[in-house]
Amino acid sequence: MVPFDCLPLLSGMGTIIYLWINAVAYAGFALWCTLFPQRTAAGIGFQFASPSARSEYITVYGGLEAGMAVFFLLGAIRPELRPAVLLFSVCLYSGLVLFRLGTILTIADLSRIVYILFALEATLGAAAWALWIRRA
């Protein structure tokens, strides 16, 4: 038995809630980065050196995150897709957490947003792992 059995998060409804949280969050980030690229880029220390750079930022931070929002939404509403979407979550957040931790340990003078993102990604990653282990 997984030691998390008593947590309601790990029920079937917990998986649906988790996927909806991700869908809404990524949709919000996609809109925010698309509508306010200068502000969101500046928040993480990016500056656009050209219109092409702005286009690339909107494409990656807007388009990619919009696609991820749709993917998580499909997992939330289509039960047959949930295992694949949950496995994607495990892979996605494991990579993000490991790489973000690597930068935290090796790069000085990081802004507060880096630590906030690390906490968010670690939380979503731990939840993804717990849900994945529970379903196995």
Side-chain angles (χ1 to χ4, degrees):
M1 280 300 215
V2 174
F4 308 110
D5 279 347
C6 63
L7 297 177
L9 171 69
L10 299 176
S11 68
M13 184 57 69
T15 298
I16 295 168
I17 292 168
Y18 173 80
L19 296 174
W20 271 105
I21 288 169
N22 276 275
V24 170
Y26 279 105
F29 289 143
L31 281 172
W32 190 31
C33 290
T34 300
L35 297 175
F36 306 103
Q38 294 290 138
R39 187 181 333 165
T40 56
I44 56 173
F46 286 0
Q47 293 180 355
F48 301 133
S50 69
S52 296
R54 184 172 186 225
S55 171
E56 186 65 16
Y57 179 87
I58 292 169
T59 300
V60 172
Y61 284 87
L64 180 63
E65 291 186 6
M68 290 173 57
V70 171
F71 189 66
F72 281 111
L73 174 65
L74 289 172
I77 63 176
R78 305 244 339 245
E80 70 275 15
L81 297 178
R82 285 186 196 132
V85 178
L86 200 53
L87 179 58
F88 173 76
S89 297
V90 166
C91 296
L92 171 71
Y93 289 115
S94 294
L96 289 173
V97 167
L98 288 172
F99 276 73
R100 182 130 3 237
L101 182 59
T103 66
I104 288 170
L105 295 174
T106 60
I107 300 173
D109 300 321
L110 297 171
S111 67
R112 184 171 182 245
I113 190 68
V114 172
Y115 299 97
I116 292 169
L117 290 171
F118 176 74
L120 177 64
E121 293 158 354
T123 300
L124 290 169
W129 272 103
L131 290 164
W132 182 255
I133 290 168
R134 176 67 176 104
R135 71 168 287 287

